[in-house]
Amino acid sequence: MGEVAPPTHNDAPVTARQGEGAGTLTSSEVSRNQMQPSAPSPLGPLSATGLRNARMMGLLERIAAKFNDADLPLIVLKGGALNLTVYERLHQRPMDDLDLLIRPEELDRALGLIEELGGLRSESQVRGDFFPRFHYETEYTIGSIHPVKIDLHVRPFRPLRYAQLVPKDAFQARSRPVPIGRATILIPSTEEMLIHLTAHAAIHGCARRMWLEDIRLWIAAHRQELDWDRFVTTVNRWRLALPVRIALQRVETQFGPVCPPSVSQALSNARVSWRDRLALRQAPRDAGHPASHIAVNALCTPGWRFKIGYLRAMLFPDRSHMAHWYGRNHRGWLP
């Protein structure tokens, strides 16, 4: 599986290094050595979170190396990016999965590389072309004993409205490489990473304090280099002012001011339509309210042809999808 092995405690006698008088150290020498300060473990205190994150980051290194060898750009988002750049110990920021972003035109090659690493794709979506045309990600798992879930994105966000408003090359042009073991992987630019963290938190209803802490720490770590004018301009161009503003307000309610007052004012003055408000209100409820999820997507997404294609896919799913719902096979089973 390529997982990182957990650290083990060595209970064998402590011996001197070869060439320096091999033999067992005396108890007084062991005691002196134990009193010397040692470098902190990158895992932090031994914990399930630290071990799980180590396993996931070890897999991320393997994936990054595979994509490096294929000369295929790969961006890591959320927990993976933050554990590489902001958090000092792997136990500090739990991870549920690996979120990876690729260029839509590189999808087939990326899927092939993930499958070469042993990735198993999740159940088919409603139609063969639903991803990437309408859905923003597909799910893989790698490993069997401790499987790691990978969300492979062609777009950074849901709901469907953002598929039409956020550019297809968002985060790609200004992404920057960071090392991970013997490989490198891309993360979004400072401003665009902040956009992703804030929009993602708001789309999910700012339901986890961890997401707000991510935003606060990212701003604190990059305060000197953050170009707030570029940040506001990009937010407005991508029509994300509402979710970004809501998330930043929640962060400031929890932790105090994190951005200049002029930024808050600019986001408050940005144009927000009823479609923006409705799409964002529905987004945290999508999983539990599928009918309203479809209706809001149809109401709020620009482009009539795109919307008609989406509704057709939802109303007339293909046979492979419906076979999971209906186990009998007879004439007329699909209707």
Side-chain angles (χ1 to χ4, degrees), residues 18 21 35 44 49 79 98 105 110 125 132 134 140 154 160 199 223 239 246 249 280 319 324:
Q18 293 294 325
M35 292 173 63
T49 298
L98 295 174
E105 62 270 21
Q125 300 184 34
F134 302 114
Y140 276 87
V154 291
L160 190 64
R223 190 174 299 279
R239 298 287 297 274
I246 287 174
Q249 287 173 345
L280 188 60
R319 301 175 71 91
H324 294 293

Side-chain angles (χ1 to χ4, degrees), residues 133-134 302-310:
R133 186 179 179 193
F134 302 114
W304 282 104
R305 288 188 178 183
F306 188 75
K307 286 196 286 193
I308 290 171
Y310 168 74

Side-chain angles (χ1 to χ4, degrees), residues 48 52 140 287 297:
R52 175 177 171 80
Y140 276 87
N297 275 342

Side-chain angles (χ1 to χ4, degrees), residues 3-293:
E3 298 173 350
V4 175
T8 57
H9 297 289
N10 187 355
D11 295 326
V14 182
T15 58
R17 289 176 294 173
Q18 293 294 325
E20 294 186 332
T24 304
L25 297 179
T26 66
S27 59
S28 60
E29 290 171 324
V30 172
S31 298
R32 268 200 315 275
N33 290 341
Q34 290 173 341
M35 292 173 63
Q36 300 299 320
S38 59
S41 164
L43 287 175
L46 192 61
S47 67
T49 298
L51 293 173
R52 175 177 171 80
N53 282 3
R55 183 169 65 248
M56 297 177 78
M57 295 302 283
L59 175 59
L60 182 61
E61 180 185 349
R62 288 179 57 211
I63 295 171
K66 189 78 171 176
F67 277 69
N68 290 169
D69 290 344
D71 196 25
L72 195 62
L74 180 68
I75 294 177
V76 61
L77 301 170
K78 297 193 301 190
L82 293 165
N83 275 317
L84 284 172
T85 56
V86 172
Y87 290 91
E88 295 182 355
R89 301 284 179 265
L90 283 175
H91 73 286
Q92 293 176 305
R93 205 287 187 182
M95 296 166 59
D96 298 321
D97 51 31
L98 295 174
D99 287 272
L100 307 175
L101 176 67
I102 58 166
R103 300 177 189 273
E105 62 270 21
E106 303 283 6
L107 175 62
D108 290 340
R109 289 181 64 203
L111 296 181
L113 294 178
I114 295 293
E115 289 166 6
E116 285 177 17
L117 287 165
L120 298 176
R121 199 165 179 177
S122 62
E123 290 183 1
S124 62
Q125 300 184 34
V126 292
R127 292 189 70 85
D129 64 348
F130 200 73
F131 169 84
R133 186 179 179 193
F134 302 114
H135 198 55
Y136 69 113
E137 66 178 12
T138 190
E139 181 183 305
Y140 276 87
T141 56
I142 295 182
S144 54
I145 299 175
H146 298 288
V148 174
K149 184 164 79 77
I150 297 168
D151 287 334
L152 190 65
H153 294 245
V154 291
R155 293 188 295 275
F157 306 116
R158 62 176 180 90
L160 190 64
R161 175 173 176 78
Y162 299 144
Q164 295 289 80
L165 297 180
V166 178
K168 288 182 171 54
D169 62 349
F171 302 150
Q172 303 283 353
R174 299 186 62 239
S175 60
R176 54 192 175 94
V178 296
I180 174 169
R182 297 183 298 275
T184 60
I185 198 165
L186 299 172
I187 64 169
S189 71
T190 303
E191 295 78 23
E192 291 172 9
M193 183 71 170
L194 181 56
I195 292 172
H196 186 269
L197 293 174
T198 49
H200 170 266
I203 288 165
H204 291 272
C206 296
R208 300 177 69 178
R209 179 185 172 91
M210 177 180 73
W211 296 333
L212 306 182
E213 181 76 3
D214 290 342
I215 296 166
R216 182 187 72 83
L217 288 175
W218 184 262
I219 294 173
H222 299 89
R223 190 174 299 279
Q224 299 303 317
E225 62 188 271
L226 252 171
D227 185 333
W228 288 107
D229 290 337
R230 182 191 291 272
F231 172 75
V232 171
T233 299
T234 306
V235 167
N236 288 333
R237 182 159 49 89
W238 293 355
R239 298 287 297 274
L240 292 170
L242 181 62
V244 169
R245 185 184 78 211
I246 287 174
L248 286 174
Q249 287 173 345
R250 289 289 295 273
V251 172
E252 294 192 331
T253 298
Q254 290 279 343
F255 305 111
V258 293
C259 63
S262 59
V263 173
S264 301
Q265 188 61 47
L267 293 176
S268 296
N269 293 338
R271 181 170 65 90
V272 175
S273 71
W274 66 267
R275 289 183 175 86
D276 293 310
R277 297 183 188 280
L278 180 58
L280 188 60
R281 180 179 180 275
Q282 170 61 32
R285 306 168 65 246
D286 278 349
H289 301 81
S292 57
H293 162 62

